[in-house]
Amino acid sequence: MLRATTIAGLTFAATTAGAETLTIYAYDSFVPDYGPGPAVAEVFEEQCGCEVEYVAAGDGAALLSRVRLEGARSGADIVLGLDSNLVAQARETGLFAPHGVDAEFDLPVTWDDDTFLPFDWGYFAFVGNEGTEAPSSLQELADSDLQIAIQDPRSSTPGLGLVLWVEQAYGEEAGALWSDLADNVLTVTPGWSEAYGLFLDGEVDAVLSYTTSPAYHSIAEEDDSKVAWAFDEGHYVQIEVAAVLESSDQPELAREFMAFIASDGFQSVIPTTNWMYPVIEPEGGLPDGFEALAQPESALLYPPEEAQAVREAAIDTWRGALAQ
Amino acid sequence: MSLTRPGLWAAGLLLLLTLGTVGAVAWRAEWSGAFGPADWAAIRFTLLQALASAALSVLLAVPVARALSRRRFLGRSVLVTLLGAPFILPVVVAVMGLLAVFGRRGLVSDGLALIGLPPLDIYGYEGVVLAHVFFNLPLATRMLLQGWLSIPSERFRLAASLGAPVGRLLEWPMIRSVAPGAFLVIFLICLSSFAVALILGGGPRATTVELAIYQAVRFDFDLERAALLALVQFAICAAVAAVAFAVTVPDGLGSGLDRTVKRWDGSRWADAFWIALAALFLLLPLGVIVAGGIAGLPDLPGSLFAASVRSVCVALASTVIALVLSLALALRKGPVSSLAGVLPLAASPLVVGTGLLIVIYPLASPASAALAITALVNALMAVPFAVRIVTPAVRQAEASYGRLADAMGLTGWARLRIVLLPRLRRPLGFAGGIAAALSMGDLGVIALFAGPGEETLPLAMYRLMGAFRTDAAAGAGLVLFALSLTLFWAFDRGGRVDADA
């Protein structure tokens, strides 16, 4: 006990000792070497002369839950990786402070929120292998024998995005679609990484990800065999946001980082590390390979307050259909 | 100071940690609604999978234990010893081994593909039950094997000379007395399953109550539902435990007696089949873990060393706490300490951890206390096992030397040091080994609250699995497996040194 306490104390002391440390809670796939985290940190550390420390705290909703549990005692200065569907819920906690950044965003919708700053965006899509017969709609997928992995909407922002996608596209019929889809769902994972890993391991035919995911395989691995399926219903949009915590002990540094998010230093790293669209087009334009990506004909998205209003009922529908 | 006084303190502490923490969670909750259909589905799934896991484990254990009891072959004692391995095998590691054998891309599916059959699907109900049988078949086998070995060989000889039916006269009564206890213990262990359900289940179709608690806290921040589910878990476990302790529960953790009766009956081939099947089922995943792990060692990230040190420290701290609490409880007779000793079996480690965080919130930031809380919760979870190992030894030492010690006026600390502790080294070492291995492999509370630089080894491994770095995860699994075994061995061995009484 004593030893564990001492060690906990030591690590705690180590993280606060330098004083100029910016602690960012981010989702699991942002933090590791293959994610955008290290590259972003390197550029910013040079600019601020400080240290950036990431805490991988699970996907979107888990991030929010974590700062709610920690409340004003949270060690985080910034939370990075909520999305527009969680913004209203996050705002209600009163834990977040205005970011003070003024920027024009290239988004499929207008975004002017003084607290939650978008850092990238994308269209949700199922990603499968070339050669697998691609369904052309959610309904066709549900009627097929294809096995898919999806994420839990209670923990993961893609999972929540899919539930809202189905809700917006099918309305009253959403429950019926989920019942049809239930036998296609091999498993529901807590986060994006686990589901994508199952797909890469060949455990499933397709995985819920983004239209931009095939770019990773074609650019980073020169592998053109992964394709995003285009669906007739249109594709739900994800706008990922970051926010400063009111309780931050580094408010200056945190706001500096928020301004950095809207700068080229951050935005130019995003496409080929997070494999999403930047919210402000980088100076050099989008990387080669992005132009070949599927462009959905129509974009679906609930504004934050509406997403909050339908979220709970939509998740209950999902849970009810899949618990059968 | 009386030696029974600490028992009261320990019992009080355990009561606070188990029921008190539920109270703390309930106190922070915003009470609004009640259970939805998915919560009932979780309760139903929990009961069904525990029922199936316990029934399958015991049913399969019968032919395996009978075969082991009446056959002698090379490697038999090694196999009996290995039957104890899954109990101290970290759950995340075992599940990885099972996936490598039974997953859609596992060995069995590859074999099926050769003869044109579709791959296996072990996500969900089937996978959870499969993993539970993997963990508990050895436990059931050892319990039944001891039952068989406790039948005096003279009776078998008598039956042989009279031509009497051995199965009906000797074996069936033994099975009837041992099997219900084994069934109930396994049922109880499977009820509060978390890591297995987290990795193999997780979807609404395969959520246990403990996993639903995790989701309620981690995803929805719904403390009300977490507290309610924890109470449901208490109620189910209390009901089962009441039955279990009414039906005598044999001690399944003791080492197997390595003695066979010379038998004339039964088919040699059938016995060989059952032994081979059980050995293959248990050893194949272990083999895959070792083979895959060695291949993955070069891919290990550097941060893994720190995580290993952290895990070992947590395990050691947790062992010390578990041993002190268990010894205190063992020294005190009576219903209060025996109740306190089994209470943690019914508690939800996640609720205990969350409750502790809520209680210490005014004093320290949750992230800085995550490791200390993990050590405490792990200790708590090891107490029921440790108490069951240490208590009989205390009773025996008191029976043998109690009157002499009384006559010499030895009481309190001196009595403990001079009379009891030297006689408790073996059970304390064994209990310590179990506590250390359980803590080392635990993926529970830390999955909720790990702060910066607080990743334990099982969490690091789970994250590597999640980040599809399969090779590195396999390497981490091997390190974790090796450290768990080493800790167990060191404690168990330490208890035996110079103790050849």
Side-chain angles (χ1 to χ4, degrees), chain B residues 101-465:
Chain B
V101 176
F102 298 101
R104 275 170 74 93
R105 291 286 291 266
L107 297 176
V108 176
S109 292
D110 287 354
L112 289 175
L114 287 181
I115 50 172
L117 288 173
L120 293 178
D121 171 11
I122 70 159
Y123 288 97
Y125 179 77
E126 294 84 358
V128 170
V129 172
L130 177 85
H132 285 158
V133 172
F134 174 79
F135 280 111
N136 295 304
L137 174 62
L139 185 64
T141 305
R142 285 183 73 141
M143 285 172 140
L144 284 164
L145 184 57
Q146 282 189 6
W148 248 289
L149 296 178
S150 68
I151 304 175
S153 48
E154 293 76 15
R155 299 238 184 126
F156 280 106
R157 278 188 223 132
L158 190 62
S161 62
L162 295 174
V166 169
R168 192 164 58 81
L169 286 181
L170 297 179
E171 296 181 325
W172 175 241
M174 184 281 296
I175 293 175
R176 231 180 37 191
S177 78
V178 176
F183 177 88
L184 285 167
V185 165
I186 295 171
F187 186 81
L188 208 55
I189 291 175
C190 295
L191 269 185
S192 50
S193 169
F194 171 66
V196 165
L198 177 68
I199 302 172
L200 290 174
R205 245 177 306 190
T207 299
T208 59
V209 172
E210 185 68 11
L211 185 55
I213 291 172
Y214 171 79
Q215 287 162 344
V217 176
R218 177 132 198 249
F219 304 160
D220 304 337
F221 197 66
D222 187 346
L223 296 180
E224 171 200 359
R225 224 174 63 229
L228 276 178
L229 287 168
L231 288 176
V232 167
Q233 183 150 311
F234 259 111
I236 299 174
C237 290
V240 177
V243 181
F245 287 90
V247 182
T248 50
V249 181
D251 182 359
L253 301 172
S255 50
L257 298 171
D258 210 11
R259 176 164 55 88
T260 44
V261 183
K262 213 163 174 137
R263 294 274 293 270
W264 67 98
D265 58 330
S267 153
R268 192 173 287 270
W269 290 110
D271 284 350
F273 168 78
W274 284 110
I275 291 172
L277 194 72
L280 212 61
F281 178 52
L282 296 174
L283 297 183
L284 214 54
L286 291 181
V288 171
I289 289 164
V290 174
I294 291 172
L297 284 179
D299 293 318
L300 287 184
S303 60
L304 212 78
F305 180 74
S308 307
V309 173
R310 231 171 270 136
S311 272
V312 171
C313 289
V314 167
L316 291 176
S318 141
T319 307
V320 171
I321 303 169
L323 288 184
V324 169
L325 284 177
S326 309
L327 187 60
L329 288 179
L331 288 173
R332 187 189 168 84
K333 277 185 201 156
V336 175
S337 52
S338 29
L339 177 70
V342 294
L343 211 51
L345 273 184
S348 154
L350 296 172
V351 168
V352 175
T354 311
L356 283 174
L357 278 178
I358 289 169
V359 172
I360 63 150
Y361 182 80
L363 308 171
S365 98
S368 65
L371 282 180
I373 287 177
T374 302
L376 188 58
V377 174
N378 287 352
L380 188 68
M381 295 303 137
V383 162
F385 300 101
V387 165
R388 289 186 57 75
I389 296 165
V390 176
T391 307
V394 170
R395 299 282 177 275
Q396 207 186 349
E398 278 290 347
S400 311
Y401 301 94
R403 284 169 64 187
L404 180 62
D406 286 342
M408 294 177 71
L410 277 175
T411 55
W413 175 242
R415 187 188 184 102
L416 182 67
R417 191 170 53 84
I418 298 168
V419 181
L420 294 176
L421 278 184
R423 267 144 211 100
L424 295 177
R425 285 188 65 161
R426 266 166 188 258
L428 280 177
F430 182 52
I434 298 237
L438 283 180
S439 172
M440 188 74 207
D442 175 70
L443 174 66
V445 186
I446 200 71
L448 275 180
F449 314 111
E454 287 190 329
E455 225 179 29
T456 60
L457 194 50
L459 183 61
M461 180 188 161
Y462 176 62
R463 283 184 175 164
L464 285 172
M465 281 171 87

Side-chain angles (χ1 to χ4, degrees), chain A residues 1 7-8 34 56-58 62 65-66 69-70 72-73 154-155 182 185-186 188 193-194 197-198 201-203 318-319 322, chain B residues 38-39 104-105 121 123 203-205 215 217-221 313 317 321 361-362 364 368 449-451 453 463 466-468:
Chain A
M1 178 69 187
I7 286 162
Y34 60 82
S65 220
R66 170 86 178 250
L69 179 75
E70 295 180 350
R73 275 193 184 275
R154 292 163 296 173
S155 56
V185 177
L186 176 73
V188 180
S193 311
E194 292 94 336
L198 286 174
D201 283 346
E203 297 269 328
W318 169 85
R319 260 178 113 189
L322 261 66
Chain B
D39 296 307
R104 275 170 74 93
R105 291 286 291 266
D121 171 11
Y123 288 97
R205 245 177 306 190
Q215 287 162 344
V217 176
R218 177 132 198 249
F219 304 160
D220 304 337
F221 197 66
C313 289
I321 303 169
Y361 182 80
S368 65
F449 314 111
R463 283 184 175 164
F468 50 87

Side-chain angles (χ1 to χ4, degrees), chain A residues 225-248:
Chain A
S225 69
K226 306 282 183 274
V227 288
W229 296 341
F231 282 174
D232 297 340
E233 294 97 342
H235 288 244
Y236 200 83
V237 172
Q238 176 172 50
I239 298 170
E240 297 200 285
V241 301
V244 179
L245 279 147
E246 183 82 60
S247 61
S248 165

Side-chain angles (χ1 to χ4, degrees), chain A residues 20-70:
Chain A
E20 292 292 285
T21 301
L22 185 69
T23 305
I24 301 176
Y25 283 10
Y27 49 76
D28 289 344
S29 60
F30 193 88
V31 179
D33 304 337
Y34 60 82
V40 165
E42 197 180 330
V43 182
F44 185 66
E45 281 172 351
E46 203 155 300
Q47 177 187 323
C48 68
C50 63
E51 263 185 51
V52 173
E53 178 182 64
Y54 293 108
V55 176
D59 271 20
L63 274 175
L64 184 56
S65 220
R66 170 86 178 250
V67 291
R68 283 178 74 187
L69 179 75
E70 295 180 350

